[in-house]
């Protein structure tokens, strides 16, 4: 699958898209290991299934769920070990009992959904009280996104016919960190932590890719850490954000 070749299996430490993906994956896995010591994990909108597969290999009972059966077939080809299940399903009507999961990952999907509150309600239903939800999404506060943020859209019904489309072409709107925390709180989740990741030093955005290829990856990583601690500047340049929340 071409996304895996570029994102996960790319060996070039200077490949911007691959480094951005690996930053997101590292943030997600670190959050899961910190907040889940076992139990069942739902990877909702799993795409090629990397998070679900790695979670299964680490000891969690992992459920990969996606609308597209071809993604699930592909994830099955990569399976090696652990408790791993594949389910084709619409996220608004999940075929699981109430409180079935201890954790849910919803990665890079919320910005593709016209009414994320509806899916968050369904996530809350299948998540046990006290269970954790991990959401990742592009950072809507960054410069030059070309898209409105969640609170700037007065009528989201215009997006219904376009929702659930893959890749960045399917982005309907973006979320600032405050907007993401607000929609999670309104859906019955208590936000435990939020973070940013993937500065232009590793994402190549804001024209960095045109003049950064000469820089060693170790120096890029050091500059990334410094930028992440730069407060308002980080909010303006970071590509992605993550939120970990607990079902009330």
């Amino acid at each position: 699958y071409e996304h895996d070749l570029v994102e996960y299996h790319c060996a070039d430490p200077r490949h911007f898209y691959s480094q951005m993906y690996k930053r997101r994956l590292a943030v997600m896995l670190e959050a899961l290991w910190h907040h889940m010591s076992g139990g069942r994990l739902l990877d909702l909108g799993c795409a090629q299934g990397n998070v679900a597969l790695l979670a299964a290999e680490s000891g969690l009972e992992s459920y990969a769920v996606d609308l597209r059966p071809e993604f699930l077939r592909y994830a099955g080809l990569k399976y090696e070990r652990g408790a791993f299940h594949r389910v084709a399903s619409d996220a608004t009507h999940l075929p699981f009992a109430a409180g079935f999961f201890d954790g849910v990952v919803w990665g890079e999907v919320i910005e593709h959904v016209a009414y994320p509150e509806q899916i968050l309600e369904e996530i809350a239903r299948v998540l046990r009280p006290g269970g954790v939800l991990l959401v990742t999404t592009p950072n809507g506060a960054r410069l030059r996104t070309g898209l409105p943020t969640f609170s700037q859209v007065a009528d989201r019904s215009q997006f219904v016919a376009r929702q659930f489309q893959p890749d960045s072409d399917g982005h309907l709107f973006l979320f600032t960190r405050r907007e993401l925390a607000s929609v999670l709180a309104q859906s019955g989740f208590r936000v435990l932590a939020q973070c940013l990741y993937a500065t232009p030093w590793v994402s190549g955005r804001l024209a960095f890719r045109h003049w950064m290829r000469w820089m060693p990856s170790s120096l890029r990583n050091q500059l990334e850490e410094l930028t992440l601690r730069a407060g308002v500047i980080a909010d303006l340049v970071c590509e992605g954000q993550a939120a970990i929340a607990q079902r009330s």
Side-chain angles (χ1 to χ4, degrees), residues 3-28 197-205 209 212-213 215-222 224-225 228 239-240:
H3 279 63
D4 265 354
L5 292 175
V6 172
E7 296 172 342
Y8 191 69
H9 294 290
C10 177
D12 182 0
R14 298 188 185 187
H15 191 290
F16 290 113
Y17 196 78
S18 174
Q19 292 306 307
M20 185 171 65
Y21 176 82
K22 288 172 181 173
R23 286 294 192 283
R24 181 170 73 239
L25 188 61
V27 165
M28 296 171 79
Y197 58 85
T199 69
W201 303 107
V202 299
S203 72
R205 297 297 173 88
R209 70 185 62 198
M212 285 293 300
R213 295 189 181 279
M215 183 176 287
S217 58
S218 59
L219 180 54
R220 284 168 53 187
N221 291 337
Q222 292 175 25
E224 161 107 337
E225 293 302 319
L228 286 172
E239 176 67 20

Side-chain angles (χ1 to χ4, degrees), residues 43-234:
D43 184 2
L44 186 58
C46 68
Q48 59 261 47
N50 289 331
V51 172
L53 288 163
L54 290 168
E57 291 177 2
S58 74
L60 298 177
E61 184 176 359
S62 180
Y63 288 75
V65 174
D66 204 280
L67 268 176
R68 298 169 178 82
E70 60 270 23
F71 276 149
L72 300 174
R73 286 192 293 270
Y74 174 73
L77 294 174
K78 299 194 294 180
Y79 171 74
E80 292 182 346
R81 62 186 181 277
F84 177 69
H85 313 274
R86 295 169 291 159
V87 180
S89 175
D90 177 352
T92 59
H93 298 89
L94 294 169
F96 304 106
F100 187 76
F101 292 102
D102 301 284
V104 175
V105 171
W106 201 25
E108 307 302 299
V109 180
I110 192 171
E111 69 276 12
H112 297 261
V113 181
Y115 294 96
E117 304 93 335
Q118 296 175 354
I119 296 180
L120 286 168
E121 181 180 351
E122 182 68 351
I123 289 173
R125 183 188 69 81
V126 302
L127 189 61
R128 67 166 175 81
V132 293
L133 167 64
L134 170 62
V135 179
T136 70
T137 187
N139 170 29
R142 74 183 192 273
L143 298 170
R144 296 173 59 186
T145 67
L147 287 172
T149 65
F150 184 69
S151 62
Q152 293 172 339
V153 179
D155 179 17
R156 286 181 274 146
S157 64
Q158 62 183 301
F159 297 128
V160 170
R162 293 172 43 205
Q163 65 181 345
F164 303 128
Q165 298 303 309
D167 300 324
S168 59
D169 291 341
H171 292 176
L172 306 178
F173 38 72
L174 302 180
F175 289 81
T176 65
R177 281 193 284 175
R178 179 174 294 180
E179 288 170 342
L180 182 58
S182 177
V183 76
L184 289 171
Q186 292 170 17
S187 300
F189 292 91
R190 181 170 67 92
V191 176
L192 303 176
Q194 289 182 275
C195 71
L196 296 167
Y197 58 85
T199 69
W201 303 107
V202 299
S203 72
R205 297 297 173 88
L206 300 177
F208 273 53
R209 70 185 62 198
H210 298 301
W211 55 277
M212 285 293 300
R213 295 189 181 279
W214 58 269
M215 183 176 287
S217 58
S218 59
L219 180 54
R220 284 168 53 187
N221 291 337
Q222 292 175 25
L223 291 170
E224 161 107 337
E225 293 302 319
L226 289 173
T227 306
L228 286 172
R229 294 196 292 267
V232 174
I233 293 175

